[in-house]
């Protein structure tokens, strides 16, 4: 709910990082009446937040500490789509989700199985419904992030500064080139780059796991149904893999997989995919559907990006121990697009009201790593 503060009492907050987490945080902070500056080094959603699948699930994080964050976020995605998903659509839609097995050497006769959509005409078997239109949905992650930021700028006055944050101090951030932006609070939402800041690096580690993706535009997009597909894929002569296939309302089909541990380059624009991984995803595409074979589909993107990961596989969201007015929100791994909205809403409450009510943030507190250090 809007909670505008008077101009003279507006809390000044700098949000560092223009990925989905930084943008959601800036949006909800500004909606609560804070005066927000968002600083992004390169361009908004240039990293994982623009290259992710955009798959959302209500209950796939149940049974662990992320359950309430994911459930709150899934519901926020639905309400945000009603608020924002007008003519400038960012592709929010509920969809059915299937798990399917493909064995490259297998025979191509899926027609007997009515559960397998007809465009999946490769050697597919063992279909299982693992999500319904009540429990799974999708967004186009770059368009979602951009739409939310545009709304935050136009409706709530968020200022966007393009430039690299070099240093975070109590009460200000220092940019490359020496510009200082004063603020009462700073939120660090720099994805896998968050750990590069010394004040955090001494408390916990955020590392990047590289993942690849391709985007295909089939000649006959009308034939592709709204099904998210989680594959168990057995390549001939290779190790089993679990790539994911997401048709989008734009008619494009996004395919991702091929994880590798690699050093995160300083500049997000320098991230390039490994050609062998890209070639493997094209091979997956061809074996899923003749409509995704290279002659039948244009390759619109071959890309890579980094999942932001922590040592205990949980996000880190909360006040940085011992640093007044400094907050962190990162480590969302493979669920950052899903968990962006509730993370942003909770951080906004924490910064403005001193306490988050939408989600209990205690499992995600950065202070938990101090306990490990003893
Ligand atoms: C292949 C793949 C598929 C995925 N699919 C899904 C999915 O289907 N559903 C889902 O929920 N999640 C998915 N994810 C996970 C999701 O993409 C991430 O969890 C999420 O994007 C992380 O967002 P972020 O804002 O923390 O980080 P990022 O998107 O990495 O953003 C960090 C930003 O900080 C900026 N930055 C870095 N250093 C500085 C600096 N010094 N100064 C200023 N700015 C700086 C960068 O330029 C970047 O824009 C997927 C991820 C991958 C890799």
């Amino acid at each position: 709910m809007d909670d505008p503060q008077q101009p003279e009492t507006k809390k000044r907050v700098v949000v560092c990082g223009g990925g989905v987490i930084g943008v959601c945080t800036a949006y909800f902070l500004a909606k609560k009446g804070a005066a927000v500056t968002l600083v992004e080094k390169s361009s908004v959603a240039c990293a994982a937040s623009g290259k992710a699948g955009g798959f959302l699930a209500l209950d796939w994080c149940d049974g662990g500490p992320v359950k309430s964050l994911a459930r709150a976020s899934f519901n926020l995605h639905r309400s945000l789509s009603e608020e924002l998903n007008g003519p400038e659509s960012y592709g929010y839609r509920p969809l059915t989700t299937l798990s399917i097995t493909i064995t490259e050497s297998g025979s191509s006769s899926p027609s007997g199985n009515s559960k397998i959509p007809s465009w999946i005409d490769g050697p597919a078997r063992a279909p299982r419904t693992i999500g319904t239109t009540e429990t799974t949905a999708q967004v186009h992650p770059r368009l979602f992030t951009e739409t939310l930021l545009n709304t935050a700028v136009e409706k709530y006055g968020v200022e966007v500064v393009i430039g690299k944050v070099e240093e975070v101090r109590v009460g200000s951030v220092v940019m490359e080139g020496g510009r200082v932006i004063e603020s009462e609070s700073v939120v660090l939402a720099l994805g896998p780059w968050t750990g590069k800041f010394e004040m955090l690096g001494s408390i916990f580690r955020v590392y990047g796991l590289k993942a690849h993706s391709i985007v295909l535009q089939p000649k006959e997009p009308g034939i592709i149904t709204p099904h998210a597909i989680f594959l168990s894929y057995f390549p001939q002569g290779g190790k089993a893999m679990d790539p994911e296939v997401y048709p989008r309302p734009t008619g494009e089909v996004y395919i991702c997989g091929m994880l590798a541990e690699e050093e995160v380059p300083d500049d997000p624009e320098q991230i390039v995919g490994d050609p062998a991984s890209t070639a493997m995803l094209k091979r997956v595409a061809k074996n899923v559907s003749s409509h995704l074979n290279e002659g039948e589909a244009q390759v619109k993107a071959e890309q890579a990006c980094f999942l932001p990961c922590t040592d205990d596989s949980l996000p880190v969201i909360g006040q940085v121990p011992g640093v007044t007015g400094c907050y962190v929100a990162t480590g969302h791994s493979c669920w950052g697009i899903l968990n962006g909205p509730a993370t942003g809403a909770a951080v906004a409450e924490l910064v403005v009201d001193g306490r988050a009510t939408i989600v209990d943030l205690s499992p995600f507190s950065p202070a938990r790593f101090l306990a490990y250090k003893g």
Side-chain angles (χ1 to χ4, degrees):
M1 206 200 300
D2 293 27
D3 185 10
Q5 298 179 345
Q6 294 306 307
E8 64 274 13
T9 62
K10 275 189 167 198
K11 187 161 194 158
R12 287 208 50 81
V13 186
V14 175
V15 176
C16 305
V20 71
I21 303 299
V23 167
C24 286
T25 303
Y27 173 87
F28 284 104
L29 273 167
K31 199 171 176 185
K32 277 185 80 64
V36 179
T37 302
L38 180 126
V39 187
E40 162 56 44
K41 175 178 173 173
S42 179
S43 60
V44 167
C46 65
S49 302
K51 293 171 181 155
F55 178 75
L56 315 173
L58 173 71
D59 51 4
W60 289 22
C61 299
D62 282 8
V66 183
K67 173 182 172 178
S68 52
L69 185 72
R71 283 182 166 261
S73 237
F74 187 84
N75 291 329
L76 268 176
H77 267 292
R78 190 186 296 121
S79 54
L80 280 171
S81 77
E82 284 156 14
E83 204 177 313
L84 309 172
N85 208 7
E88 302 288 299
S89 168
Y90 56 77
Y92 173 87
R93 67 175 177 185
L95 78 183
T96 300
T97 302
L98 302 175
S99 117
I100 287 178
T101 298
I102 291 205
T103 307
E104 279 188 1
S105 53
S107 56
S108 303
S109 56
S111 50
N113 197 320
S114 60
K115 233 182 197 176
I116 298 179
S118 61
W119 57 275
I120 300 181
D121 54 8
R125 63 188 167 84
R128 219 160 37 88
T129 303
I130 53 174
T132 67
T133 51
E134 293 302 308
T135 61
T136 53
Q138 71 178 153
V139 293
H140 186 303
R142 179 178 56 75
L143 297 181
F144 169 68
T145 307
E146 289 174 354
T147 303
L148 200 62
L149 184 60
N150 289 343
T151 309
V153 169
E154 284 159 20
K155 205 164 163 192
Y156 303 117
V158 168
E159 179 196 18
V160 178
V161 173
I162 297 295
K164 183 180 178 192
V165 175
E166 283 279 8
E167 196 187 334
V168 179
R169 298 178 183 156
V170 176
S172 65
V173 302
V174 184
M175 310 271 300
E176 193 173 50
R179 178 177 171 189
V180 176
I181 307 176
E182 308 281 348
S183 72
E184 287 162 83
S185 302
V186 177
V187 181
L188 294 168
L190 299 156
W193 291 273
T194 312
K196 295 199 187 277
F197 285 83
E198 216 179 291
M199 69 160 68
L200 300 181
S202 60
I203 305 173
F204 58 88
R205 191 166 80 101
V206 185
Y207 65 95
L209 196 57
K210 192 173 183 182
H212 293 76
S213 56
I214 56 173
V215 181
L216 303 171
Q217 178 70 57
K219 278 188 192 156
E220 278 189 81
I223 201 164
I224 312 283
T225 52
H227 286 89
I229 312 292
F230 283 70
L231 291 175
S232 295
Y233 190 92
F234 297 91
Q236 211 162 10
K239 263 179 43 192
M241 302 156 40
D242 46 7
E244 294 156 24
V245 181
Y246 303 123
R248 289 177 166 161
T250 51
E252 297 168 342
V253 177
Y254 170 99
I255 303 179
C256 67
M258 308 303 295
L259 294 171
E261 270 192 51
E262 211 177 282
E263 185 66 25
V264 182
D266 199 40
D267 181 357
E269 303 292 350
Q270 306 257 297
I271 300 168
V272 284
D274 159 33
S277 297
T278 304
M280 189 66 220
L281 290 179
K282 289 183 186 169
R283 192 165 134 187
V284 169
K286 184 176 86 177
N287 279 289
V288 167
S289 170
S290 60
H291 302 278
L292 303 180
N293 202 348
E294 263 190 271
E296 292 300 309
Q298 182 200 347
V299 181
K300 290 186 77 179
E302 299 175 357
Q303 56 200 12
C305 55
F306 286 86
L307 301 164
C309 304
T310 60
D311 284 333
D312 62 5
S313 306
L314 292 181
V316 197
I317 309 168
Q319 179 145 21
V320 178
V323 191
T324 311
C326 186
Y327 302 82
V328 62
T330 189
H332 293 75
S333 185
C334 61
W335 286 117
I337 307 300
L338 168 65
N339 289 325
T343 299
V347 172
E349 288 184 327
L350 184 63
V351 173
V352 175
D353 305 332
R355 188 170 151 261
T357 59
I358 177 169
V359 179
D360 172 16
L361 289 180
S362 55
F364 313 122
S365 167
R368 71 187 188 268
F369 294 101
L370 295 176
Y372 300 149
K373 287 180 185 226

